[in-house]
Amino acid sequence: ACTSVAGMAAVGLSLIEVPVWALTGAIASSFIICAWLAVRLLRRRFALLNRLEHLTRRIGRGDYGQRVTVKPNDEFQSLGNAFNEMTDQLQASLKSSQSVADIDRLILSSADLDTVVRKVLLTARMDGVEISLLLRLNQDKKTLARYRLQDQQLVEDPIGLLEISDDSLRDEDGYRRIAARICGESVRSCLPVAADGAITGALVATADRILESSEAKQLNELSDRLSVAITNIQRSEILFQQAHFDALTGLINRHAFQEKLREHISRSWRGENGAVLFIDLDGFKKVNDTEGHKAGDRLLCIIADRLRECLRDVDTISRMGGDEFAVIVPGCEDEKSISHLCERIIQAAIQPVTVD
């Protein structure tokens, strides 16, 4: 019995014996499979990283339209999404900077107000946001204008102040209240537009959502550009007014008259008739000496108004300086019509003048 048990144990032990070469092969195969899987995984990872490196270099060369494709549940999904968000922000920032540069070029080239406003509103377009500009350039008038885009074209809507009660237009709060009445209660931004330190309008954004920080920053930049543009336009208008008009009477001055005269002379070569009248006031120096320059200035303004009443809209009248005036009468038929005009001017000028 003992012999048979020992024999069975020996047989059992011989059944579980494994050759050394088989065990070594199994281990080597497992190692190879693991290494292959690791290499494949690393290649996938490094492929994405290499792609990111390549795209980053292209962005460094100014190509901001690059995006990386990331599969769902990928270990680098957050990195790829962050990269795509960065490129989107850079692209938007570049586009905004280019648009602002275009606006600056318009300002430097002395473009008219409508051209600048249209460019600003086009640049300010945002998803789900309506942008408009409230503007009151002439502080003496009781109206303001609302500029907006319709089919990419600039539309100006005049608005009377009586329609919006007696709200003040001298500060930001006043414009914000007016913006709420005109544009609705969903005003998300109301940025002042100023010329030479005086508020003349507001850039208004209305939306059913909160503006992002980048959008608010862009609107701030655009409102600043509008302030610069309006300031430059108003200063240019003042300089033009000073260069071409008489400050006392509002008539064109000698320089502008000479330009007009050259134009009419060039037309005369094409057969258009005309006449030029020179007018001066007798005894004007005596008025200045006895009544003072204030009375003399008032007299000149009254005479200028009377001359305007005697002339047509197509006629040109100028104060040449002192008590001298000049008139261009285009399209006159004969000397008789000019004589009648001279008589009307003289009769109007010799009427008594009461100076306070």
Side-chain angles (χ1 to χ4, degrees):
C2 292
T3 303
S4 60
V5 172
M8 292 177 61
V11 172
L13 289 175
S14 64
L15 289 176
I16 62 175
E17 287 182 358
V18 179
V20 175
W21 60 269
L23 182 61
T24 304
I27 295 173
S29 299
S30 300
F31 177 79
I32 292 173
I33 293 173
C34 292
W36 178 77
L37 293 174
V39 169
R40 185 177 180 183
L41 180 61
L42 288 174
R43 281 182 177 178
R44 289 179 58 188
R45 292 181 176 180
F46 281 115
L48 180 59
L49 293 177
N50 290 334
R51 175 66 175 165
L52 288 173
E53 180 184 7
H54 173 70
L55 295 180
T56 303
R57 293 181 184 278
R58 296 192 64 173
I59 289 175
R61 293 193 294 268
D63 186 0
Y64 298 103
Q66 303 299 317
R67 295 181 63 85
V68 62
T69 302
V70 183
K71 296 180 179 180
N73 301 323
D74 194 293
E75 294 184 19
F76 291 98
Q77 182 178 5
S78 60
L79 178 60
N81 292 336
F83 178 87
N84 292 334
E85 291 177 3
M86 179 192 70
T87 56
D88 290 341
Q89 293 176 0
L90 288 173
Q91 193 170 17
S93 178
L94 177 63
K95 183 179 179 181
S96 176
S97 299
Q98 290 174 342
S99 298
V100 170
D102 291 340
I103 295 172
D104 290 340
R105 281 191 288 270
L106 289 175
I107 295 173
L108 292 175
S109 63
S110 300
D112 61 90
L113 179 63
D114 286 354
T115 301
V116 176
V117 171
R118 179 177 179 274
K119 182 62 178 178
V120 168
L121 295 182
L122 284 173
T123 304
R125 287 182 300 177
M126 304 169 184
D127 292 337
V129 182
E130 182 179 359
I131 307 295
S132 57
L133 173 65
L134 303 181
L135 204 58
R136 186 190 184 195
L137 292 178
N138 192 336
Q139 300 297 324
D140 297 330
K141 293 185 178 180
K142 298 298 182 181
T143 59
L144 72 156
R146 180 192 182 190
Y147 294 89
R148 56 186 177 84
L149 288 179
Q150 183 174 334
D151 298 329
Q152 296 192 358
Q153 298 301 316
L154 186 65
V155 177
E156 178 182 354
D157 300 321
I159 301 172
L161 294 186
L162 293 178
E163 301 176 17
I164 50 178
S165 75
D166 297 327
D167 287 331
S168 172
L169 292 177
R170 298 184 181 276
D171 54 32
E172 296 182 34
D173 292 336
Y175 272 100
R176 183 174 291 276
R177 290 192 297 270
I178 292 172
R181 292 197 174 196
I182 297 175
C183 305
E185 295 296 333
S186 58
V187 174
R188 298 300 180 183
S189 176
C190 184
L191 300 172
V193 176
D196 284 328
I199 297 179
T200 58
L203 186 63
V204 182
T206 56
D208 294 330
R209 62 177 178 83
I210 303 298
L211 298 182
E212 298 179 3
S213 59
S214 58
E215 294 173 332
K217 180 181 178 181
Q218 183 182 23
L219 290 176
N220 271 296
E221 291 180 351
L222 294 177
S223 66
D224 291 341
R225 292 306 189 281
L226 280 172
S227 297
V228 173
I230 293 173
T231 299
N232 288 349
I233 290 172
Q234 289 187 344
R235 289 178 180 177
S236 297
E237 291 176 350
I238 292 173
L239 291 175
F240 180 86
Q241 189 79 13
Q242 292 174 346
H244 293 82
F245 290 86
D246 175 52
L248 179 62
T249 62
L251 302 176
I252 64 172
N253 58 20
R254 179 187 295 270
H255 173 71
F257 180 82
Q258 291 173 343
E259 292 181 353
K260 290 284 187 180
L261 183 59
R262 281 192 289 268
E263 292 177 9
H264 286 284
I265 291 176
S266 65
R267 294 177 188 173
S268 68
W269 291 103
R270 299 195 295 268
E272 181 177 324
N273 297 326
V276 179
L277 309 179
F278 290 93
I279 307 165
D280 68 276
L281 305 181
D282 295 336
F284 179 73
K285 184 177 183 301
K286 185 178 180 180
V287 174
N288 272 340
D289 293 341
T290 58
E291 302 296 332
H293 289 282
K294 185 176 181 180
D297 290 346
R298 180 59 182 156
L299 174 61
L300 289 173
C301 291
I302 293 174
I303 295 298
D305 291 338
R306 292 180 179 180
L307 293 176
R308 287 192 186 96
E309 294 175 358
C310 295
L311 301 173
R312 305 167 299 175
D313 292 338
V314 295
D315 299 332
T316 300
I317 178 173
S318 165
R319 183 189 175 201
M320 305 295 285
D323 62 346
E324 297 178 347
F325 298 85
V327 178
I328 300 175
V329 186
C332 57
E333 298 297 332
D334 49 37
E335 295 182 3
K336 186 176 181 180
S337 61
I338 294 298
S339 297
H340 289 323
L341 175 60
C342 292
E343 291 175 2
R344 290 201 307 270
I345 290 176
I346 293 174
Q347 289 299 319
I350 64 175
Q351 297 301 314
V353 175
T354 302
V355 179
D356 298 332

